[in-house]
Amino acid sequence: MELRRVVVTGLGAITPLGKTAKETWSSLTSGKSGSAMITLFDASKFKTRFACEVKDFIATDYFDRKTARKLDRYAQFALIAADEAIQDSGLDLEVINKDKAGVIWASGIGGLTTFLEEVINFTKGDGTPRFSPFFIPKMISDIAAGHISIKYGLRGPNFGTVSACASSTNALIDAYTYISLGKADVFVAGGSEASINQPGMGGFNSMQALSTNNDEFETASRPFCKTRDGFVMGEGGASIILEEYEHAVKRGATIYAELIGGGMSADAYHLTAPHPEGNGATMVMKNAIEDAQIKPEDIDYINVHGTATPLGDLSETQAIEKVFGEHAYNLNISSTKSMTGHLLGAAGAMEAMVAIMSIKDGIVPPSMHIKELDGRINPKLNLTVGKAQKRDVKVALSNTFGFGGHNASVIFRKL
């Protein structure tokens, strides 16, 4: 069968760098850091006392008090990002076929804060089980997709994807596949996360995954740097409206870019560590390129997973050299996690948005805070260090890799 084309017609975001997609993109191209000392709880006894929080977020600015109480912070971010993306797309929800409009929304962890609060309340009591009737609906990772579907009456495919830090890239790939096959015309796809809390920070600290550079917290997220010591926790949400090409053209939609391919693979190696030779990362980029029916040298920019972990950054750069050969040195490469921190399950949608905007505006955002390049990383790679670079980006690729060895990549093209 002939597959249908899929395009991007709307963007939305709430991140450590801005309350909208536009604000976030402006901060990224300016090289702004979203890292600050934690305000969401008392982190004074934690190894890591900083993170990339969404700044000055007040739920009742977006929801009435009753509604806000029924939503975990991660679901609040989901609804906010989705609403912006739908408004940006110009979709007329009174006209489109809602049976062919769906929601695929990702969260790697879901309502961790809700779980924490309910357990604390229980342990403070006399053992009598007194739990909120909203406990489970607030906590589960799929509920954000349900909330978006209910709010807008979207009756198409509706579910959540969970693959750790690759979760929202998998959401985009699933939406792309359903539209390509004619099972839907429009998707609200993306991801959100809100795990800057005691178990989130404590759990990642115990794994030695987080940076503990409390003295230099603003620049602690330093992918590719010799002194990197782990990722910086981030939070927020990002939403992308994916739409069948003819459907978008017929209604006169503004098209940001075309989603032309997605790849998936598994390291099948270790719970948390990447394959030391980057085998899974190599395979996922090759799979995405094959799916997009392009050549490696067609790609201009890669938004890398680039978490600033000692093993991850090295294996990803090695994989890029394997896949692209000499063309690897003609690419622009950058890790925007150096500014946003790691949004976990929301990272894929957030960074896909970056790839899309790099195509639209012809700007590659930088990798920040690299004081000295890791000597094991090839200096011939253009890591877009220190400031944004202008480039006519025709094709951009975004990588995401998750605990469990989950790898997912997406490729966008200028129309």
Side-chain angles (χ1 to χ4, degrees):
M1 64 179 294
E2 183 177 350
L3 297 178
R4 305 195 306 169
R5 296 170 68 186
V6 181
V7 294
V8 176
T9 57
L11 300 174
I14 180 166
T15 75
L17 296 178
K19 301 276 182 50
T20 65
K22 184 178 180 179
E23 288 177 12
T24 298
W25 176 242
S26 177
S27 295
L28 284 167
T29 55
S30 300
K32 182 179 178 182
S33 172
S35 184
M37 301 307 287
I38 291 171
T39 65
L40 292 171
F41 69 96
D42 180 2
S44 59
K45 294 183 179 180
F46 284 70
K47 293 179 182 177
T48 299
R49 299 188 290 278
F50 59 94
C52 290
E53 298 176 348
V54 174
K55 310 297 185 295
D56 303 316
F57 176 71
I58 301 172
T60 50
D61 287 347
Y62 301 89
F63 311 97
D64 63 67
R65 191 171 299 277
K66 184 177 179 180
T67 301
R69 290 180 60 199
K70 297 178 182 178
L71 299 168
D72 185 87
R73 188 176 173 97
Y74 101 92
Q76 294 171 358
F77 291 155
L79 283 161
I80 292 165
D83 186 68
E84 182 190 358
I86 290 170
Q87 296 301 319
D88 184 49
S89 73
L91 279 168
D92 187 340
L93 297 179
E94 299 303 317
V95 172
I96 67 168
N97 181 356
K98 292 184 180 180
D99 294 341
K100 300 280 280 184
V103 183
I104 306 178
W105 198 268
S107 184
I109 296 177
L112 188 59
T113 297
T114 293
F115 191 94
L116 171 66
E117 290 171 350
E118 290 290 331
V119 170
I120 288 174
N121 289 338
F122 174 70
T123 58
K124 285 181 177 178
D126 60 2
T128 302
R130 295 186 181 91
F131 291 91
S132 167
F134 298 109
F135 174 26
I136 301 302
K138 283 178 68 175
M139 177 196 70
I140 52 180
S141 298
D142 69 297
I143 205 68
H147 279 301
I148 296 166
S149 169
I150 293 166
K151 180 176 180 179
Y152 300 104
L154 307 179
R155 298 184 293 267
N158 180 267
F159 58 92
T161 51
V162 180
S163 50
C165 304
S167 295
S168 52
T169 304
N170 279 123
L172 297 176
I173 292 172
D174 281 358
Y176 163 74
T177 302
Y178 277 102
I179 295 173
S180 296
L181 295 174
K183 296 181 182 294
D185 295 329
V186 179
F187 269 103
V188 180
S192 56
E193 207 78 84
S195 295
I196 302 176
N197 49 35
Q198 294 90 327
M201 297 300 295
F204 281 110
N205 264 156
S206 69
M207 295 170 60
Q208 300 182 9
L210 294 179
S211 170
T212 57
N213 192 351
N214 295 294
D215 292 334
E216 299 177 295
F217 61 87
E218 287 187 344
T219 62
S221 184
R222 49 184 70 165
F224 316 118
C225 186
K226 181 179 180 180
T227 60
R228 69 189 185 278
D229 69 328
F231 73 82
V232 176
M233 183 80 87
E235 64 170 3
S239 179
I240 296 174
I241 304 300
L242 295 178
E243 189 169 351
E244 192 271 324
Y245 173 71
E246 295 295 343
H247 188 275
V249 170
K250 185 177 179 179
R251 68 179 186 87
T254 298
I255 295 174
Y256 283 92
E258 182 178 5
L259 174 51
I260 59 172
M264 294 174 284
S265 75
D267 280 5
Y269 172 72
H270 188 273
L271 282 178
T272 58
H275 191 282
E277 297 176 5
N279 288 358
T282 299
M283 186 184 301
V284 76
M285 286 187 280
K286 285 184 175 180
N287 289 345
I289 290 167
E290 180 180 350
D291 189 52
Q293 299 182 38
I294 61 173
K295 299 175 182 178
E297 53 267 31
D298 292 329
I299 294 175
D300 301 301
Y301 168 50
I302 301 176
N303 186 290
V304 292
H305 188 56
T307 58
T309 54
L311 295 177
D313 291 4
L314 181 61
S315 66
E316 187 172 10
T317 53
Q318 291 172 338
I320 288 170
E321 291 187 279
K322 288 180 184 178
V323 172
F324 292 93
E326 286 296 314
H327 182 60
Y329 314 122
N330 300 322
L331 293 162
N332 270 87
I333 296 166
S334 70
S335 171
T336 45
K337 288 185 179 73
S338 58
M339 295 171 280
T340 64
H342 193 349
L343 271 63
L344 306 180
M350 166 67 217
E351 291 157 19
M353 186 185 80
V354 172
I356 292 161
M357 289 302 298
S358 73
I359 291 171
K360 178 181 178 291
D361 286 358
I363 300 174
V364 176
S367 300
M368 296 297 293
H369 315 139
I370 301 175
K371 296 186 175 183
E372 180 181 354
L373 184 67
D374 184 333
R376 297 168 296 174
I377 294 175
N378 193 331
K380 291 171 66 178
L381 293 170
N382 179 6
L383 301 177
T384 321
V385 178
K387 65 179 182 178
Q389 294 180 14
K390 292 184 178 180
R391 176 167 182 161
D392 181 14
V393 180
K394 295 182 176 67
V395 183
L397 179 150
S398 178
N399 284 336
T400 46
F401 314 135
F403 285 168
H406 313 299
N407 308 306
S409 299
V410 283
I411 299 176
F412 298 91
R413 178 173 61 195
K414 179 184 288 188
L415 279 181

